Amino acid sequence: MISPRATTEYREDPARPVRLACVRNIGIMAHIDAGKTTLSERILFYTGVSHRLGEVHEGTATLDWMAQEQERGITITSAATTCTWDGHRVNLIDTPGHVDFTAEVERSLRVLDGAVAVFCAVGGVQSQSETVWRQARKYRVPLVAFVNKMDRTGADFGRVVEQIRERLGATPVPILIPVGREERFAGVIDVIGQEAILYADGEDGFEFQRVPIPEERRAEAARAREHLVACLAETDEAILEKYLGDVPVDNDTLHAALRRATIDCDVVPVACGSAFKNKAVQPLLDAVVRYLPSPLDIWDIKGVDPETEQPLTRHVGDRQPFSALAFKVVTDPFVGRLAYFRVYSGVATQGMEFYNPRTRRRERLGRLVQMHANRRENRDRVFSGDIAAVVGARDLTTGDTLCDCQAPIRLEALTFPDPVISMAIEARSSGERDKLFHAIDLMTQEDPTFKVRTDPETGQTIISGMGELHLDIIRDRILREHSVDALVGRPQVSYRGRLRRAADADMRFVRQTGGHGQYGHVVIHVEPQPRNHGVTVENRIVGGRVPKEYFPAIERGIREAAATGGLAGYPLIDLHVEILDGSHHPVDSSELAFKVAGSMALKKAAADAGVTLMEPVMKVEVTTPDDFLGDVIGDLSSRRGHVNEVDSRSEAVTVMASVPLAEIFGYATALRSLSKGRASFAAEVSHFEDVPQSVQAEIVAKGR
């Protein structure tokens, strides 16, 4: 909600190049292949940042600068840039659409004030569309929707708007409706202004005409405006009075009310166009600066005191104490380590001292740069509301707060999903082993969803990520950027263990050697918990039978055992552990002894309770011509899949199904073979389910 104090208490630094009210921090987000990067390239073109149209399919897109992005035609890493439109500074982040790189969307949305959600006019609301929408709502990021590819065969603007309402639970309000469809798409109608904006075919989109609405479309345009007024009447009392009194509402009042409702996430303005055909991108930019919030509209910046953990609030402004959030860390081949950050309050200056609550250390800001994809522009100062990067920040990681040393605050950090797929990796020669570990270390610093561990039994290095493509890109980057040719094993599913019932365990750890021995005694009770509960530990020992200084050691032992104590070494999840009793020895007891006792107690309790393996289940969306529908459904069923919905469209059929991750390795190749290359699919992690007993027996046997 817009704070009234934003107009009374705010003071700007006179050195600001653009007033804060004219700053927009936005992201472009969507399902893969909906046209995000093409739209971003058109925005750069029409705002004068680039002087040629970059194309994804030609590998010339400015924002797809990585070699892997250019070769595969997909966005892998979020790219930041800055442009100007109608006197407004627009800091833009183009995010990936593939589910394997959803962490890039997550950390971008954490620092953005608004976003443009792009939908394919043919595909509509697709699986990853729902995921990024949930992420935006998690951080209460206001959205403008853009229905792209209106020139494509099968494009249906009305159906996409209805899907936004039904599948995303939003209140879509069309502000631009199409003139023509498919190959006859010629432009859009401005619903509020009640005029048509028409483009010529085959042009670069700079020239367009504002003309009266064609006679045959006036009734439809009038109904769209009436619908917009009705939606806004539900959120604005002034408009409600005029609506009930049948009094016309002027355009300025509608624009102001729509802006307030958008910022409050009550409605979603919906525009449409064709980025590839250079149509209706400028009206979308008008909507971005008109309806999405400036940093000034997000007045309260919430955090906690790093020492007391009490809630704290900062306010936007250059004269406020400095606070910023590091949301991304990358390794640049030319300047080294780069940390992207968003300044929420105060001003960042090169060489200034700041405090990092995570490390509890004071550090200095090095060279400041404004990023344009992979190009850098030096900055002496970064003002409140801006996004920039600092060179050489060795101790900064994703989610760190940078704040004033005299007024410390810790801003809300980011959370990321756990990896669901793993594979072994090793260097081809012992001489490259250190180079491989160095490369992996840099990758883990950059990517919070990329994990690495060493298998204690085999000694293998195991890397984990969000999908096959994710790990394939990691391996490719290790080869290209670090010149290490690594060998990888077959992907393995990251299973989880769940207790079948409650159990107790009474465990003593006793070792007698020369001198002091080791003694730890713990009694625990464990119970399975509902999904997403996590692992919780509660101490219920009374009477001092176990000294308080040993409680943290017992909990560490329990949590370490939970991380590897399930069937075949997979972690246990969703359980509650109560420490009921125990005893100690005045001489032989130690933290190590109680840690081992806690670990042994949990493993014994888990063995008595019984453990069921759980596997990640993917939400799979297959789009196929009708001719191959039977074969596709039959193949999904053979993979232990369950078909949830079949949606017939004009030129294709979409099958929504749930399929275990273990069964869709290599599915892309199989689907191409089934459909003669005409079908496509997308998949994302949905939830964990119990593994069938027959399959579980095979997994446990392999684990041994």
Side-chain angles (χ1 to χ4, degrees):
M1 182 174 179
I2 305 176
S3 170
R5 294 174 298 176
T7 59
T8 59
E9 297 182 6
Y10 173 67
R11 291 189 301 159
E12 291 187 346
D13 190 309
R16 290 190 68 95
V18 177
R19 292 178 54 242
L20 190 55
C22 295
V23 172
R24 299 290 183 271
N25 293 313
I26 68 164
I28 309 293
M29 62 181 205
H31 183 88
I32 189 171
D33 202 32
K36 297 178 307 302
T37 302
T38 301
L39 175 61
S40 300
E41 292 296 320
R42 278 8 181 220
I43 290 175
L44 296 185
F45 183 59
Y46 295 129
T47 56
V49 173
S50 61
H51 301 288
R52 62 176 179 83
L53 287 171
E55 302 292 0
V56 175
H57 62 279
E58 295 175 357
T60 59
T62 303
L63 297 176
D64 280 352
W65 56 271
M66 293 177 62
Q68 294 86 350
E69 293 176 317
Q70 295 168 356
E71 291 173 357
R72 299 167 189 255
I74 61 172
T75 301
I76 294 170
T77 182
S78 55
T81 190
T82 298
C83 56
T84 301
W85 182 257
D86 192 24
H88 291 70
R89 179 191 184 99
V90 180
N91 297 317
L92 183 147
I93 297 181
D94 177 37
T95 65
H98 199 285
V99 66
D100 285 17
F101 310 106
T102 189
E104 290 287 327
V105 184
E106 182 87 12
R107 57 184 172 188
S108 297
L109 287 172
R110 170 64 182 85
V111 297
L112 293 173
D113 300 323
V116 176
V118 183
F119 299 92
C120 173
V122 180
V125 175
Q126 297 167 284
S127 58
Q128 187 65 3
S129 307
E130 297 182 34
T131 300
V132 296
W133 194 276
R134 287 196 304 270
Q135 290 173 307
R137 286 297 178 243
K138 173 182 175 181
Y139 296 112
R140 285 195 61 80
V141 175
L143 298 168
V144 169
F146 181 69
V147 181
N148 192 26
K149 303 187 178 182
M150 286 301 305
D151 60 301
R152 287 268 306 274
T153 301
D156 190 333
F157 177 75
R159 182 176 59 82
V160 178
V161 172
E162 195 58 33
Q163 286 185 344
I164 293 174
R165 186 190 319 280
E166 294 179 353
R167 296 181 62 175
L168 303 179
T171 303
V173 180
I175 57 172
L176 300 173
I177 59 177
V179 176
R181 56 183 294 184
E182 300 180 345
E183 71 275 2
R184 297 188 304 276
F185 177 67
V188 294
I189 293 174
D190 179 351
V191 171
I192 295 180
Q194 289 291 287
E195 62 179 356
I197 305 172
L198 302 181
Y199 293 78
D201 286 331
E203 300 295 330
D204 59 13
F206 271 112
E207 301 295 330
F208 54 88
Q209 293 180 309
R210 292 182 178 270
V211 299
I213 300 173
E215 181 67 32
E216 67 275 11
R217 302 296 305 279
R218 288 181 182 175
E220 180 186 355
R223 287 194 301 271
R225 194 178 197 276
E226 185 178 354
H227 172 71
L228 185 147
V229 174
C231 289
L232 293 180
E234 297 179 6
T235 66
D236 191 287
E237 291 186 4
I239 292 183
L240 177 61
E241 290 181 9
K242 293 185 178 182
Y243 180 69
L244 294 177
D246 202 22
V247 176
V249 185
D250 63 273
N251 292 351
D252 290 341
T253 300
L254 282 180
H255 286 309
L258 183 54
R259 174 179 170 79
R260 287 192 296 270
T262 301
I263 293 174
D264 288 342
C265 298
D266 292 330
V267 302
V268 177
V270 184
C272 63
S274 172
F276 182 63
K277 292 296 181 67
N278 311 315
K279 294 179 180 179
V281 175
Q282 297 95 328
L284 173 65
L285 279 168
D286 292 336
V288 165
V289 301
R290 182 173 278 160
Y291 305 125
L292 291 181
S294 74
L296 199 56
D297 296 314
I298 316 298
W299 181 246
D300 290 330
I301 304 156
K302 298 187 182 300
V304 298
D305 187 307
E307 298 298 328
T308 66
E309 298 297 320
Q310 294 299 310
L312 284 178
T313 301
R314 288 278 190 275
H315 298 308
V316 173
D318 299 329
R319 305 296 175 85
Q320 293 285 331
F322 173 66
S323 66
L325 184 74
F327 66 96
K328 180 175 179 176
V329 175
V330 299
T331 302
D332 189 285
F334 300 103
V335 299
R337 188 180 171 91
L338 269 175
Y340 289 71
F341 65 95
R342 154 78 186 267
V343 178
Y344 283 94
S345 62
V347 178
T349 59
Q350 186 168 313
M352 72 176 283
E353 190 175 55
F354 69 90
Y355 179 69
N356 185 339
R358 180 184 62 84
T359 61
R360 297 181 178 273
R361 291 176 53 189
R362 297 188 177 199
E363 304 174 46
R364 287 195 179 276
L365 282 176
R367 175 183 161 201
L368 301 176
V369 293
Q370 185 80 56
M371 298 301 297
H372 298 280
N374 63 332
R375 296 184 294 107
R376 298 164 299 281
E377 174 187 331
N378 290 334
R379 293 276 300 273
D380 294 327
R381 312 176 77 190
V382 181
F383 297 95
S384 175
D386 280 350
I387 295 174
V390 57
V391 177
R394 291 181 301 172
D395 295 328
L396 281 180
T397 63
T398 298
D400 278 358
T401 297
L402 299 73
C403 60
D404 191 307
C405 297
Q406 305 305 317
I409 186 174
R410 186 176 71 244
L411 303 177
E412 179 188 0
L414 296 93
T415 57
F416 299 100
D418 293 327
V420 296
I421 185 173
S422 303
M423 63 172 59
I425 187 170
E426 62 181 28
R428 286 188 180 273
S429 65
S430 57
E432 291 192 317
R433 185 179 176 85
D434 290 342
K435 288 175 62 179
L436 174 62
F437 286 154
H438 176 67
I440 289 176
D441 181 57
L442 292 177
M443 300 277 182
T444 56
Q445 293 177 33
E446 292 184 16
D447 188 348
T449 59
F450 175 58
K451 305 293 184 183
V452 61
R453 64 181 177 86
T454 301
D455 188 305
E457 295 185 2
T458 65
Q460 287 181 303
T461 300
I462 308 296
I463 57 175
S464 304
M466 301 305 297
E468 284 185 277
L469 178 61
H470 186 196
L471 294 184
D472 186 43
I473 294 295
I474 291 289
R475 186 197 63 79
D476 193 45
R477 289 187 61 195
I478 289 174
L479 172 62
R480 296 192 190 208
E481 297 174 19
H482 303 278
S483 302
V484 180
D485 192 5
L487 296 170
V488 296
R490 185 180 182 276
Q492 301 292 324
V493 177
S494 295
Y495 294 96
R496 305 285 191 268
R498 179 178 62 83
L499 297 182
R500 295 178 182 171
R501 53 188 172 272
D504 298 314
D506 184 335
M507 184 60 62
R508 280 181 170 83
F509 175 67
V510 182
R511 290 289 184 274
Q512 291 297 330
T513 58
H516 292 312
Q518 296 286 351
Y519 180 90
H521 174 213
V522 176
V523 179
I524 66 170
H525 173 75
V526 298
E527 288 186 354
Q529 297 295 316
R531 184 180 298 169
N532 298 324
H533 176 84
V535 177
T536 55
V537 182
E538 179 184 359
N539 174 39
R540 298 187 60 185
I541 298 178
V542 295
R545 289 177 57 80
V546 176
K548 291 183 179 179
E549 60 265 27
Y550 296 136
F551 293 161
I554 297 172
E555 182 171 345
R556 284 198 304 273
I558 290 171
R559 291 189 179 278
E560 288 182 10
T564 58
L567 284 176
Y570 293 110
L572 294 170
I573 61 172
D574 299 333
L575 69 149
H576 179 66
V577 183
E578 294 179 347
I579 307 172
L580 302 178
D581 202 359
S583 62
H584 75 288
H585 189 280
V587 177
D588 291 347
S589 287
S590 65
E591 289 189 2
L592 175 62
F594 274 100
K595 177 182 174 183
V596 174
S599 176
M600 294 170 62
L602 181 65
K603 290 180 180 179
K604 182 178 185 302
D608 293 343
V611 177
T612 296
L613 279 186
M614 302 180 72
E615 62 182 346
V617 175
M618 309 297 286
K619 179 182 178 182
V620 179
E621 185 174 294
V622 183
T623 302
T624 176
D626 188 63
D627 298 348
F628 306 104
L629 178 61
D631 292 336
V632 167
I633 291 178
D635 183 63
L636 290 173
S637 299
S638 71
R639 297 172 182 270
R640 295 195 283 129
H642 300 282
V643 176
N644 303 320
E645 185 181 347
V646 178
D647 182 15
S648 297
R649 300 174 183 174
S650 59
E651 62 173 12
V653 179
T654 299
V655 179
M656 275 75 81
S658 299
V659 186
L661 173 61
E663 302 295 338
I664 63 169
F665 290 146
Y667 182 60
T669 302
L671 184 62
R672 281 196 296 269
S673 176
L674 274 176
S675 64
K676 299 180 181 178
R678 297 173 63 192
S680 62
F681 86 103
E684 63 173 309
V685 178
S686 173
H687 60 281
F688 279 79
E689 281 185 3
D690 291 355
V691 176
Q693 286 299 316
S694 58
V695 179
Q696 179 169 305
E698 296 178 10
I699 296 170
V700 173
K702 291 179 181 178
R704 291 172 180 165

